[in-house]
Amino acid sequence: MATLSIHFDPAVIARLTSASGDDTIHVTLSLGGGSAITEATPVVPHGPLAALMQAGLLKPDTVLTFHQRRAGRSGRAVVTADGQLIVDGHSTPFPSPSKAAEAVTGNVINGWTLWHTPDGFTLDQLRQKLDVQ
């Protein structure tokens, strides 16, 4: 009996878990040619977070958060392998930290200083580390 193995990119999983009941998710499966297992093409990060990811300061699947106590707002986003951010409650990835922050706050805001890594660093602090290297 044949075995079927399906591997999803973390961005796909994040999109599926954030989908609402009204969203339509399309998944396409195709049969590979031959019996050899083909390796997935590595995803190369691009955009504003690419340099941090290429330097190893930020990794795919990192959960970024923020909390604005006075405004009573908080946010959570996941870094995709291609350097975008998937924000909880939004099905489309955002290309920059500021656009992702704006989606949560409703205001134009500097996402580099707003989002924090699990270690407590802002993206701006990571960018400063990059400048020192």
Side-chain angles (χ1 to χ4, degrees), residues 45-50 53 79-80 82-87 92-101 103 112 115 123:
H46 60 277
L49 297 177
M53 296 178 76
V79 179
T80 66
D82 66 352
Q84 297 190 72
L85 295 174
I86 297 178
V87 177
T92 305
F94 293 91
S96 75
S98 295
K99 291 292 183 190
W112 290 95
W115 293 107
L123 294 175

Coordinates of all heavy atoms in Angstrom, one line a residue, residues 45-50 53 79-80 82-87 92-101 103 112 115 123:
P45 N 13.9 34.6 2.0 CA 13.2 35.8 2.6 C 13.5 37.0 1.7 O 14.6 37.2 1.1 CB 13.8 36.0 4.0 CG 14.9 35.0 4.1 CD 14.9 34.1 3.0
H46 N 12.5 37.9 1.6 CA 12.6 39.1 0.9 C 11.9 40.2 1.7 O 11.1 39.9 2.6 CB 12.1 39.0 -0.5 CG 10.7 38.6 -0.6 ND1 10.2 37.3 -0.5 CD2 9.5 39.4 -0.8 CE1 8.9 37.3 -0.6 NE2 8.5 38.5 -0.8
G47 N 12.1 41.5 1.3 CA 11.4 42.5 2.0 C 12.2 43.0 3.2 O 13.3 42.7 3.4
P48 N 11.5 43.9 4.0 CA 12.2 44.5 5.1 C 12.8 43.6 6.2 O 13.8 43.9 6.8 CB 11.1 45.4 5.8 CG 10.1 45.5 4.7 CD 10.1 44.3 3.9
L49 N 12.3 42.4 6.4 CA 12.8 41.5 7.4 C 13.9 40.6 6.9 O 14.5 39.8 7.6 CB 11.7 40.7 8.0 CG 10.6 41.4 8.8 CD1 9.5 40.5 9.3 CD2 11.2 42.2 9.9
A50 N 14.1 40.6 5.6 CA 15.1 39.6 4.9 C 16.5 39.7 5.6 O 17.0 38.6 5.8 CB 15.1 39.9 3.4
M53 N 16.6 37.9 8.9 CA 16.4 36.5 8.7 C 17.7 35.9 8.2 O 18.2 34.8 8.6 CB 15.2 36.2 7.9 CG 13.9 36.6 8.5 SD 12.5 36.3 7.5 CE 12.3 34.6 7.8
V79 N 6.2 35.2 11.9 CA 7.1 35.4 10.8 C 7.0 34.3 9.8 O 7.1 33.1 10.2 CB 8.5 35.7 11.3 CG1 9.5 35.9 10.1 CG2 8.6 36.8 12.3
T80 N 6.8 34.6 8.5 CA 6.8 33.5 7.5 C 8.2 33.3 7.0 O 9.1 34.1 7.1 CB 5.8 33.9 6.3 OG1 6.4 35.0 5.6 CG2 4.4 34.1 6.8
D82 N 9.2 33.5 4.0 CA 9.6 34.5 3.0 C 9.7 35.9 3.6 O 9.9 36.9 2.9 CB 8.7 34.5 1.8 CG 7.2 34.9 2.1 OD1 6.9 35.1 3.3 OD2 6.4 35.0 1.2
G83 N 9.6 36.1 4.9 CA 9.8 37.4 5.6 C 8.6 38.3 5.7 O 8.8 39.5 5.9
Q84 N 7.4 37.7 5.6 CA 6.2 38.5 5.9 C 5.7 38.2 7.3 O 6.2 37.3 7.9 CB 5.2 38.1 4.8 CG 5.7 38.5 3.4 CD 4.6 38.4 2.4 OE1 3.7 39.2 2.4 NE2 4.6 37.4 1.5
L85 N 4.6 38.9 7.6 CA 4.0 38.6 8.9 C 2.6 38.3 8.8 O 1.8 39.0 8.1 CB 4.1 39.9 9.8 CG 5.5 40.3 10.2 CD1 5.5 41.6 10.9 CD2 6.2 39.2 11.1
I86 N 2.2 37.2 9.4 CA 0.8 36.8 9.4 C 0.2 37.2 10.8 O 0.7 36.7 11.8 CB 0.6 35.3 9.2 CG1 1.1 35.0 7.8 CG2 -0.9 34.9 9.4 CD1 1.0 33.5 7.4
V87 N -0.7 38.1 10.8 CA -1.3 38.7 12.0 C -2.6 37.9 12.3 O -3.4 37.6 11.5 CB -1.6 40.2 11.8 CG1 -2.3 40.8 13.0 CG2 -0.3 41.0 11.5
T92 N -4.4 37.6 5.1 CA -3.3 37.9 4.1 C -2.1 38.4 4.9 O -2.2 39.2 5.8 CB -3.8 39.1 3.2 OG1 -5.0 38.7 2.6 CG2 -2.8 39.5 2.2
P93 N -0.9 37.8 4.5 CA 0.3 38.3 5.2 C 0.7 39.7 4.9 O 0.3 40.2 3.8 CB 1.4 37.4 4.6 CG 0.7 36.3 3.8 CD -0.7 36.8 3.5
F94 N 1.4 40.4 5.8 CA 1.8 41.7 5.6 C 3.3 41.8 5.3 O 4.0 41.1 5.9 CB 1.4 42.5 6.9 CG 0.0 42.7 7.1 CD1 -0.7 41.7 7.9 CD2 -0.7 43.7 6.5 CE1 -2.1 41.8 8.1 CE2 -2.1 43.8 6.7 CZ -2.8 42.9 7.5
P95 N 3.6 42.7 4.4 CA 5.0 42.7 3.9 C 6.0 43.4 4.8 O 7.2 43.3 4.7 CB 4.9 43.4 2.6 CG 3.8 44.3 2.7 CD 2.8 43.6 3.6
S96 N 5.5 44.2 5.8 CA 6.4 44.9 6.7 C 5.8 45.0 8.1 O 4.6 44.8 8.3 CB 6.5 46.4 6.2 OG 5.4 47.1 6.5
P97 N 6.7 45.2 9.1 CA 6.2 45.2 10.5 C 5.3 46.4 10.7 O 4.3 46.2 11.5 CB 7.5 45.5 11.3 CG 8.6 45.0 10.4 CD 8.2 45.2 9.0
S98 N 5.5 47.5 10.1 CA 4.6 48.6 10.3 C 3.2 48.4 9.7 O 2.2 48.8 10.3 CB 5.2 49.9 9.7 OG 6.4 50.2 10.4
K99 N 3.1 47.8 8.5 CA 1.8 47.4 7.9 C 1.1 46.4 8.8 O -0.1 46.5 9.0 CB 2.0 46.9 6.5 CG 2.4 47.9 5.5 CD 1.4 49.0 5.3 CE 1.8 49.9 4.2 NZ 0.9 51.1 4.1
A100 N 1.8 45.5 9.4 CA 1.2 44.5 10.3 C 0.7 45.2 11.5 O -0.4 44.9 12.0 CB 2.2 43.4 10.6
A101 N 1.5 46.1 12.1 CA 1.0 46.8 13.3 C -0.2 47.7 13.0 O -1.1 47.8 13.8 CB 2.2 47.7 13.8
A103 N -2.5 47.1 10.9 CA -3.7 46.3 10.7 C -4.3 46.0 12.1 O -5.5 45.8 12.2 CB -3.3 45.0 10.1
W112 N 8.5 48.5 13.7 CA 9.9 48.1 14.1 C 10.1 48.3 15.6 O 10.8 47.5 16.2 CB 10.9 48.9 13.4 CG 11.0 48.6 11.9 CD1 10.3 49.2 10.9 CD2 11.7 47.5 11.3 NE1 10.6 48.6 9.7 CE2 11.4 47.5 9.9 CE3 12.5 46.5 11.8 CZ2 12.0 46.6 9.1 CZ3 13.1 45.6 11.0 CH2 12.8 45.6 9.6
W115 N 6.7 45.7 17.7 CA 6.7 44.2 17.8 C 7.9 43.8 18.6 O 9.0 44.3 18.4 CB 6.7 43.6 16.4 CG 5.5 43.8 15.6 CD1 5.4 44.6 14.5 CD2 4.2 43.2 15.7 NE1 4.1 44.5 14.0 CE2 3.4 43.6 14.7 CE3 3.7 42.2 16.6 CZ2 2.1 43.2 14.6 CZ3 2.4 41.8 16.5 CH2 1.6 42.3 15.5
L123 N 12.0 44.6 17.0 CA 12.6 44.4 15.7 C 13.7 45.5 15.4 O 14.7 45.2 14.8 CB 11.6 44.4 14.6 CG 10.6 43.2 14.6 CD1 9.5 43.4 13.6 CD2 11.3 41.9 14.5

